[in-house]
Amino acid sequence: VQLQASGGGLVPAGGSLQLSCVASGGRLRIIYNAMGWYRQAPGKERELVADITYGGAANYADSVKGRFTISRDSAKKMVYLQMNNLEPEDTAVYYCNLGDTQSTTVTGGIWGQGTLVTVSS
């Protein structure tokens, strides 16, 4: 299975971006796995941003609640992250993750290559 993330870029504070990630390869059953987004800022550890199960249950980091929305199109093996009201603290490389049927974890699953989000102040 391979994950391809896209949609990063440079945006001013208060702006919006939408990230997309598509999974390719693997067996059909991967559509039942949780998918998520993590990020890693310079000098910091990778952290969960949001993840979502096949059934649509979403989990968000406190720092992004109310500003970011995760969604998925399981038939297309895609997951999205709509990011609104971006802040300079959101600047990081964002990674797509494919977890198990229950959740994603920072230490496991399959990772995409990352897409850079830079928020200017």
Side-chain angles (χ1 to χ4, degrees):
V1 178
Q2 292 185 326
L3 301 177
Q4 180 71 41
S6 61
L10 174 63
V11 63
S16 298
L17 280 176
Q18 185 182 61
L19 305 183
S20 300
C21 176
V22 59
S24 61
R27 298 191 176 194
L28 179 62
R29 66 169 181 254
I30 68 170
I31 67 171
Y32 299 109
N33 287 28
M35 300 185 77
W37 291 95
Y38 288 72
R39 67 186 180 187
Q40 187 165 18
K44 295 187 176 181
E45 295 185 351
R46 191 172 297 189
E47 62 177 3
L48 172 71
V49 177
D51 61 14
I52 185 168
T53 66
Y54 173 77
N59 177 44
Y60 294 92
D62 289 343
S63 60
V64 306
K65 285 180 180 177
R67 300 188 298 122
F68 292 10
T69 302
I70 190 170
S71 60
R72 65 187 288 166
D73 184 335
S74 296
K76 296 181 179 179
K77 301 181 187 178
M78 294 194 70
V79 63
Y80 307 95
L81 185 69
Q82 177 64 43
M83 305 185 292
N84 297 328
N85 195 20
L86 282 158
E87 302 170 352
E89 293 74 22
D90 296 316
T91 295
V93 177
Y94 284 70
Y95 297 91
C96 177
N97 179 269
L98 179 69
D100 62 23
T101 56
Q102 300 298 317
S103 66
T104 63
T105 66
V106 69
T107 57
I110 296 172
W111 295 92
Q113 86 288 3
T115 185
L116 177 62
V117 172
T118 304
V119 184
S120 62
S121 58

